[in-house]
Amino acid sequence: MHPRWKTPLTDLLKISYPIVLGPFGGGFSSAALTAAVTNLGGLGSYGAHHHTAEEIEAVDREIRSLTSGPYCINLWMKKDEPDFPMDEAAFDRLKTLFRPYFDELGVPLPSMPKMNVKTTFHYQVEAILRTRPAVFSFVFGIPDPTVMRALKQRGILTLGGATTVDEALALEEAGTDLIAATGFEAGGHRVSFLRPAEESLMGTFSLVPLVADRVNVPVIAAGGVSDARGIAAAMILGADAVQVGTAFLACTESNATPLHRETLFSKKGTRTVLTRAFSGRLARGMASRISEETSRHASDFAPYPLHGMFIRPLQQAANAQHREDLITFWAGQSYPLIRHRSAREVFNALVEGTEKIWNA
Ligand SMILES: Cc1cc2nc3c(=O)[nH]c(=O)nc-3n(C[C@H](O)[C@H](O)[C@H](O)COP(=O)(O)O)c2cc1C
């Protein structure tokens, strides 16, 4: 074991390697992938923002049946969701925008949804308090002090996502134990919460050293780390660990569809875009016909979660009909660096490659 793997984060979590699996919300995480990364000596994570409290408890049981090591469950702070019943005018604008694609796939447009209170943060976090994962990570905000206290009382470590130095300082001030400094290279949503995402576009290379210089808690570099060079660089920049998303999303253990995983290896178009077209919130994925065409009418986009209510059924139909042009493939900017198809291969390549760089 190379001595440089030991950091304040590995000490705190009692893990061998400062390699964190990025959580994937929306159904892309799997208990198998989470447990695999923990069993390899890193910190496995599971994105649960779309789950009810009961589903979170079931996933927790599944992960515990696969590993006895520490893992992390991730939720979104959802205070900015629109109140239900939702804005009918915005819903109608989305209907007009998406109708041609639903017609093309021959599936019906969704009707006005009802609020599912069971997937609000308030219910979800109760499940976290009951199941007590080693780490609870959150993005898009900071839980209120009562929740932060309850987590601490139960010995659950907190990990918050920051996209700017100010967000990192706010997380530290609120007593967060670990901070994921997330550059705009990352796949998935831009998890900004103090200023609009468009005004919080820092790259990992700038963000990590700035955050590391200002906070006293361990810093995890997220965004663009897809091979060993990324780990070595992030640690030189002051990170105590890295959070790897896209490279693990491409593994057979993830819940991405086989087509999604294959597309991550295809290097067809190496262009990713930061767009609101995927969900209504600014997020990174591969450019596709659906994102390009709908982005021309961005003024008709509605905030999350309304937008996603059209994207979800559209994705189901597009996947069933193998219509790649209408699928939103989530990916970080560095996805063309991906080489490996199992969690073990990815993890070992990261560890061995980084040690090779350190020993050179
Ligand atoms: C499909 C997908 C879903 C994601 N969902 C979440 C999520 O729900 N919560 C979260 O904190 N991060 C989420 N992320 C971000 C990852 O956890 C991770 O920070 C990011 O992928 C790291 O950058 P990389 O993609 O360049 O490796 C998601 C990323 C992807 C690709």
Side-chain angles (χ1 to χ4, degrees), residues 233-263:
M235 290 180 78
I236 290 276
L237 292 172
D240 300 287
V242 292
Q243 179 161 294
V244 179
T246 304
F248 283 119
L249 186 68
C251 296
T252 44
E253 294 96 331
S254 96
N255 241 349
T257 62
L259 178 60
H260 190 161
R261 284 188 265 117
E262 257 336 289
T263 307

Side-chain angles (χ1 to χ4, degrees), residues 20 36 77 107 156 208 258 272 274 281 298 322:
V20 179
M77 306 302 305
V107 288
I156 303 167
V208 168
T272 64
L274 258 183
R281 275 184 170 164
H322 308 288

Side-chain angles (χ1 to χ4, degrees), residues 21-26 28 47-49 74-76 137-139 182 185-189 191 222-226 243-247 249 260 284 330-334:
L21 161 67
F24 306 128
F28 293 94
H49 79 82
N74 171 268
L75 292 177
W76 291 9
S137 81
F138 50 86
V139 284
T182 308
E185 297 90 330
H189 287 96
V191 293
V225 181
S226 287
Q243 179 161 294
V244 179
T246 304
L249 186 68
H260 190 161
R284 184 174 297 284
W330 299 87
Q333 275 184 331
S334 300

Side-chain angles (χ1 to χ4, degrees), residues 193-204:
F193 61 94
L194 287 183
R195 301 182 67 82
E198 284 84 352
E199 294 171 24
S200 311
L201 297 180
M202 292 193 77
T204 304

Side-chain angles (χ1 to χ4, degrees), residues 35 54 72 85 100 102 111 124 199 203 238 246 266 288 303 321 327 358-359:
E54 292 74 24
C72 165
F102 280 79
S111 42
Q124 293 173 323
E199 294 171 24
T246 304
S266 75
S288 70
Q321 297 176 32
I327 298 177
W358 287 338
N359 292 332

Side-chain angles (χ1 to χ4, degrees), residues 28-305:
F28 293 94
S29 279
S30 76
L33 182 59
T34 307
V37 172
T38 291
N39 288 336
L40 286 159
L43 180 74
S45 310
Y46 186 101
H49 79 82
H50 58 297
H51 282 327
T52 63
E54 292 74 24
E55 287 165 347
I56 292 171
E57 288 180 77
V59 160
D60 188 82
R61 279 194 296 276
E62 201 186 342
I63 299 170
R64 278 178 204 272
S65 75
L66 299 170
T67 183
S68 53
Y71 57 89
C72 165
I73 306 260
N74 171 268
L75 292 177
W76 291 9
M77 306 302 305
K78 296 182 182 167
K79 63 179 185 310
D80 59 345
E81 277 187 15
D83 289 330
F84 284 71
M86 291 201 273
D87 181 345
E88 300 244 3
F91 195 75
D92 287 343
R93 280 198 301 278
L94 286 175
K95 262 188 169 168
T96 310
L97 177 66
F98 283 110
R99 187 183 300 280
Y101 305 104
F102 280 79
D103 287 351
E104 203 175 317
L105 293 170
V107 288
L109 279 159
S111 42
M112 190 70 167
K114 298 211 169 28
M115 168 95 158
N116 183 0
V117 286
K118 292 191 164 178
T119 55
T120 55
F121 180 76
H122 170 76
Y123 283 92
Q124 293 173 323
V125 81
E126 288 296 324
I128 301 292
L129 294 172
R130 282 194 293 273
T131 53
R132 301 190 188 197
V135 183
F136 165 58
S137 81
F138 50 86
V139 284
F140 292 121
I142 307 176
D144 66 43
T146 329
V147 172
M148 291 296 274
R149 261 196 309 277
L151 290 160
K152 264 200 184 16
Q153 277 162 4
R154 283 161 184 76
I156 303 167
L157 291 168
T158 49
L159 192 178
T163 63
T164 60
V165 176
D166 285 347
E167 288 176 356
L169 293 172
L171 286 164
E172 185 180 45
E173 170 79 25
T176 313
D177 298 301
L178 306 159
I179 293 175
T182 308
F184 62 40
E185 297 90 330
H189 287 96
R190 192 82 193 122
V191 293
S192 310
F193 61 94
L194 287 183
R195 301 182 67 82
E198 284 84 352
E199 294 171 24
S200 311
L201 297 180
M202 292 193 77
T204 304
F205 212 92
S206 297
L207 183 62
V208 168
L210 290 176
V211 170
D213 281 353
R214 296 290 298 278
V215 302
N216 293 309
V217 296
V219 174
I220 302 165
V225 181
S226 287
D227 68 13
R229 290 171 293 183
I231 296 188
M235 290 180 78
I236 290 276
L237 292 172
D240 300 287
V242 292
Q243 179 161 294
V244 179
T246 304
F248 283 119
L249 186 68
C251 296
T252 44
E253 294 96 331
S254 96
N255 241 349
T257 62
L259 178 60
H260 190 161
R261 284 188 265 117
E262 257 336 289
T263 307
L264 289 171
F265 287 101
S266 75
K267 327 272 183 300
K268 248 186 241 158
T270 49
R271 200 162 72 87
T272 64
V273 281
L274 258 183
T275 174
R276 289 190 178 266
F278 281 27
S279 72
R281 275 184 170 164
L282 200 66
R284 184 174 297 284
M286 290 186 198
S288 70
R289 182 184 149 213
I290 185 78
S291 66
E292 303 281 84
E293 285 183 6
T294 57
S295 292
R296 286 183 214 131
H297 309 279
S299 57
D300 291 334
F301 286 0
Y304 184 94

